[in-house]
Amino acid sequence: MRRRAYGVAVVVATLLASVACSSKYGEDSGTSGTATAHTRTVSPVDGCAKSSWTDPADLSPTRVPARCEPLAPSPQPLPRTRKLTIATGTLSAEYVAPLEVAVDKGEFKKEGLDVTLKVLPTPDALPLLAKGDIDAMWAAPEAAVMNGVKGGFDIKWVAGNFSPDPQSKSGLWVKLKKGEAAADVRMAGRRMGTMIGKGSVIAYPMEKALATHGGGLDKIQYQQLGSADVLTALQNGGVDSAWLLDPVWRKVDDNPRYAFLGGQPLGEPLGGMLYGPSLLNDDVDAGVALLRAYIRTVNTYFAGDYKADPSFVAYLARLLKTDETVLKSTPSLTMDWEIRAGTTTRLQSAYKAAGVSKGAPLPESRTVDRSLYEEAVGHQP
């Protein structure tokens, strides 16, 4: 009889725990279970229909990014205000604009979130994220992140940021030698100038570009330079090639002495939001609310060619503290909160080829969690 009573008690306790994990803002919503356990209730969201989710396996460069209607998904304020800190390497780059607009327009506040954007480079932010001293990073699954996860850090990539416009030429540029054309450039042995080291996510698109031009990450020489020095070194012969970012590549775009060899893959974000234990495990409700506000900001302000609106460009320039003319000189980014299948595997392959990572690659289950943004738009796997 005692065994039967004990069994009933266990079943009841399990059911109660399941309800607590899956309910929307339970009696005490300070914690809300683990999103990765797939025990949370996912309900349809007004304004977010089939177009709000795309199959992660779709790697087509012409894939239309997921979108909800403007102002969707609508806010679902937390019962108590939650203070969150997001680390970002810069506040002036265009890819950070959705976060800054969300702060400025009060989108985070509508969710009951008091968000602080803190400028911290990834090496400094990473251990703080792992310890829970900060809640999220607006960065990328760089080699340092992957190596940290291998070492036991509970960190996952939970939302994407952007992919380039097809007209963008942000990426690998080479100074052509006499009689050389872009189609027959051989990169092996050349010196490359970059402000980002081998452990950056650009190792992946760089590897693809080099492979079509007789090179490889292990066949070129690197020269790390400051952001203001990369173009100068390419122009004066200090380096043979360089990874030029927006809007720097505009300086050589019309010069026949230079050739663009390739950039970030179209339709595949290589960075975005990374969560640590505080939002992955301790307060998943807040983790979903943060992504809901971010997604709503994209749908409302960045759904298409946002630079077609002169008043919005002027607003962004003021917010990012950058020159309006410079901002208008490059195409709009394709803001994209989703994460493609296999991206972290491809990144890890490039890190290994560059010599900054060893051993077998981590499976995607250790590096990515799509369940939070899926819940935010009401997608049921």
Side-chain angles (χ1 to χ4, degrees):
M1 187 70 178
R2 285 184 179 178
R3 284 186 177 179
R4 183 179 179 186
Y6 174 76
V8 171
V10 169
V11 171
V12 170
T14 301
L15 288 172
L16 288 173
S18 176
V19 170
C21 286
S22 62
S23 64
K24 176 62 65 177
Y25 305 158
E27 185 177 338
D28 179 7
S29 61
T31 61
S32 56
T34 305
T36 51
H38 299 290
T39 55
R40 293 172 59 85
T41 299
V42 178
S43 304
V45 172
D46 289 343
C48 293
K50 289 183 178 180
S51 62
S52 67
W53 183 86
T54 66
D55 184 350
D58 184 357
L59 302 179
S60 169
T62 59
R63 174 184 62 89
V64 177
R67 290 289 183 262
C68 299
E69 295 175 6
L71 304 179
S74 60
Q76 298 181 29
L78 298 170
R80 296 188 300 274
T81 299
R82 176 78 152 84
K83 291 189 174 183
L84 299 179
T85 300
I86 304 173
T88 175
T90 178
L91 288 174
S92 61
E94 191 175 334
Y95 66 84
V96 190
L99 296 190
E100 296 195 66
V101 169
V103 171
D104 189 64
K105 299 289 187 181
E107 297 299 340
F108 291 130
K109 284 188 177 181
K110 293 173 186 176
E111 300 286 352
L113 300 174
D114 181 1
V115 171
T116 298
L117 302 179
K118 186 172 184 178
V119 177
L120 277 175
T122 295
D124 296 336
L126 196 56
L128 299 178
L129 182 64
K131 290 189 296 183
D133 292 342
I134 60 173
D135 303 286
M137 283 172 52
W138 189 248
E142 298 175 349
V145 175
M146 296 294 98
N147 290 336
V149 174
K150 282 183 178 180
F153 285 177
D154 187 10
I155 293 172
K156 286 186 177 178
W157 186 17
V158 298
N161 51 9
F162 76 94
S163 61
D165 182 273
Q167 301 302 313
S168 175
K169 295 181 181 178
S170 173
L172 180 60
W173 284 80
V174 63
K175 191 171 186 178
L176 299 174
K177 297 177 181 179
K178 189 175 181 179
E180 194 174 43
D184 57 22
V185 170
R186 311 305 289 174
M187 288 298 297
R190 299 207 188 198
R191 182 180 295 276
M192 175 182 291
T194 174
M195 57 179 282
I196 310 170
K198 295 181 182 180
S200 165
V201 291
I202 67 163
Y204 159 44
M206 190 185 297
E207 183 180 43
K208 291 184 68 175
L210 290 171
T212 60
H213 292 278
L217 294 174
D218 59 342
K219 296 179 181 179
I220 59 172
Q221 303 173 50
Y222 295 88
Q223 185 168 332
Q224 197 157 351
L225 301 164
S227 58
D229 302 323
V230 174
L231 178 62
T232 302
L234 180 63
Q235 291 173 323
N236 65 21
V239 295
D240 308 298
S241 60
W243 191 270
L244 301 180
L245 303 175
D246 288 335
V248 179
W249 59 268
R250 285 292 196 189
K251 302 279 187 176
V252 295
D253 188 29
D254 296 326
N255 192 325
R257 297 177 60 199
Y258 300 91
F260 174 63
L261 302 186
Q264 179 178 331
L266 299 178
E268 184 176 13
L270 299 182
M273 197 76 79
L274 295 143
Y275 279 0
S278 69
L279 296 181
L280 285 174
N281 307 313
D282 301 338
D283 195 348
V284 183
D285 282 340
V288 173
L290 179 61
L291 293 190
R292 187 165 50 241
Y294 161 53
I295 291 169
R296 183 170 59 254
T297 302
V298 171
N299 290 320
T300 306
Y301 301 99
F302 298 93
D305 182 10
Y306 51 90
K307 292 185 182 179
D309 181 351
S311 62
F312 188 67
V313 173
Y315 163 72
L316 273 189
R318 291 193 300 271
L319 196 64
L320 299 174
K321 296 180 174 59
T322 189
D323 184 87
E324 187 177 338
T325 303
V326 171
L327 190 61
K328 290 190 295 186
S329 69
T330 55
S332 296
L333 301 177
T334 301
M335 301 302 183
D336 189 353
W337 65 78
E338 294 189 309
I339 300 169
R340 299 295 88 197
T343 296
T344 56
T345 302
R346 291 185 287 276
L347 287 171
Q348 290 177 86
S349 175
Y351 300 151
K352 190 170 184 178
V356 292
S357 182
K358 297 179 179 178
L362 291 165
E364 194 172 79
S365 60
R366 294 276 306 280
T367 61
V368 173
D369 188 344
R370 298 181 182 86
S371 67
L372 294 101
Y373 72 67
E374 289 177 336
E375 180 179 338
V377 301
H379 174 73
Q380 297 175 320

